[in-house]
C-alpha cells in the first residue's frame, strides 16, 4: 500500500511560564491510532492546492520539502501540504490560521519532521510535520473546540505529558522538536527536519 501524503501541525503556546502544545484525543472508533492524543492533522486533499495564503513558505523550508521527497514534490505540492496542516488544524480544533480571511502566513511554518507509516498497517501516511508559535501568528489561544475527529482538545503542559496515551511516533517527534528548542528556543527555519522510516523491519531515525 502506497503511503498517502499527509500533514500535521504542532502548535505551541509560549505565553505562560511553561511551554504548551495543542493536542486532542482521537475517537476510540477510529481505525488509525484510536483513543490516542495526537497533533491535529490529516491527509492532503486536492482542494488544498487552491487554498489562499498570505505569505509563502520560508525559502529554506520550501527547499527542504521539495528536495527531500523520494516522490519529488513540486513547490505547489509543498505549499498544499502546509495548507493541509492549516486546514486540518481548523477543522479539528477550531484554530484558524487565516483560512477564512487572507489565508495563512506560511512564512511562519517550520518544517520539523517527516514520518512514513511502516508497511503492514491498516492505513499508511507520508506525513510532514509543521511547527508554529501561536504568538507569531497573533492567535487567540482560547478559541479551541472539539470536533468529530478530536475530543478533549486542549493546550497541554510540555512538562506533564509522560502519562498521556500518545503514539510512539508522536512522542518521538515531540521529543526531537523539544531538543531543537532547547538548543535554540526560536526554532530556526534552518533547523534540520527529522525523518522517521522503517526499513527491513528496523525503525530508522534520520534527517531528511
Amino acid at each position: 500500500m502506497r503511503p498517502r501524503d499527509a500533514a500535521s501541525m504542532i502548535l505551541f503556546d509560549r505565553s505562560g511560564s511553561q511551554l504548551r502544545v495543542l493536542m486532542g484525543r482521537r475517537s476510540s472508533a477510529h481505525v488509525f491510532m484510536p483513543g490516542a492524543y495526537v497533533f491535529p492533522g490529516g491527509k492532503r486533499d486536492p482542494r488544498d492546492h487552491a487554498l489562499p495564503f498570505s505569505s509563502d513558505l520560508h525559502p529554506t523550508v520550501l527547499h527542504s520539502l521539495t528536495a527531500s521527497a523520494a516522490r519529488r514534490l513540486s513547490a505547489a505540492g509543498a505549499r498544499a501540504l502546509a495548507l493541509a496542516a492549516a486546514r486540518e488544524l481548523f477543522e479539528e480544533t477550531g484554530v484558524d490560521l487565516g483560512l477564512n480571511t487572507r489565508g495563512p502566513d506560511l512564512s511562519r511554518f517550520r518544517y520539523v519532521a517527516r514520518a512514513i507509516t511502516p508497511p503492514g498497517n491498516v492505513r499508511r501516511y507520508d506525513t510532514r510535520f509543521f511547527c508554529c508559535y501561536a504568538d507569531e501568528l497573533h492567535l487567540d489561544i482560547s478559541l479551541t473546540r472539539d470536533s468529530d475527529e478530536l475530543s478533549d482538545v486542549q493546550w497541554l503542559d510540555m512538562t506533564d505529558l509522560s502519562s498521556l496515551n500518545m503514539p510512539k511516533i508522536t512522542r518521538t517527534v515531540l521529543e526531537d522538536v523539544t531538543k531543537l528548542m532547547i538548543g535554540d528556543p526560536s526554532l530556526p527555519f534552518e533547523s534540520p527536519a527529522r525523518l522517521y522510516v522503517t526499513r527491513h523491519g528496523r525503525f530508522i531515525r534520520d534527517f531528511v
Side-chain angles (χ1 to χ4, degrees):
M1 181 192 303
R2 183 177 180 177
R4 303 183 68 177
D5 282 324
S8 189
M9 175 58 71
I10 308 172
L11 188 60
F12 288 114
D13 165 36
R14 53 184 177 183
S15 62
S17 59
Q18 297 292 341
L19 187 68
R20 300 191 301 170
V21 63
L22 186 66
M23 302 186 78
R25 185 177 63 235
R26 289 177 60 81
S27 167
S28 57
H30 278 112
V31 175
F32 190 72
M33 297 182 177
Y37 279 83
V38 296
F39 311 121
K43 65 181 182 296
R44 181 179 63 180
D45 287 345
R47 57 181 163 150
D48 294 321
H49 288 266
L51 292 175
F53 55 92
S54 58
S55 296
D56 203 355
L57 291 165
H58 188 281
T60 301
V61 171
L62 185 59
H63 174 76
S64 184
L65 283 164
T66 56
S68 64
R71 291 179 287 116
R72 193 168 182 82
L73 274 176
S74 64
R79 293 185 190 100
L81 279 170
L83 289 164
R87 175 183 54 75
E88 290 284 346
L89 176 69
F90 176 66
E91 291 176 355
E92 295 184 350
T93 72
V95 176
D96 186 5
L97 301 188
L99 286 171
N100 295 306
T101 52
R102 299 173 55 236
D105 179 1
L106 301 185
S107 71
R108 298 295 186 177
F109 286 35
R110 283 91 166 159
Y111 173 41
V112 294
R114 179 185 181 190
I116 302 174
T117 312
N121 281 268
V122 66
R123 299 276 192 278
R124 292 194 70 205
Y125 297 101
D126 186 347
T127 305
R128 280 72 164 193
F129 292 81
F130 297 91
C131 177
C132 291
Y133 287 115
D135 58 287
E136 288 186 345
L137 297 168
H138 310 291
L139 299 178
D140 183 343
I141 60 173
S142 68
L143 298 179
T144 61
R145 55 158 172 76
D146 290 356
S147 64
D148 292 339
E149 291 292 324
L150 294 180
S151 63
D152 196 28
V153 171
Q154 58 179 303
W155 294 96
L156 296 169
D157 188 329
M158 288 281 288
T159 64
D160 192 29
L161 299 177
S162 59
S163 62
L164 212 60
N165 175 22
M166 196 184 300
K168 180 180 178 181
I169 188 61
T170 303
R171 195 175 296 278
T172 300
V173 170
L174 201 52
E175 287 173 354
D176 284 342
V177 173
T178 301
K179 290 175 185 175
L180 285 174
M181 289 190 294
I182 290 173
D184 188 337
S186 71
L187 200 57
F189 294 94
E190 295 78 13
S191 299
R194 279 286 192 176
L195 171 66
Y196 310 99
V197 64
T198 300
R199 295 193 181 105
H200 308 295
R202 291 181 59 245
F203 176 72
I204 297 174
R205 199 176 191 167
D206 203 348
F207 293 99
V208 297

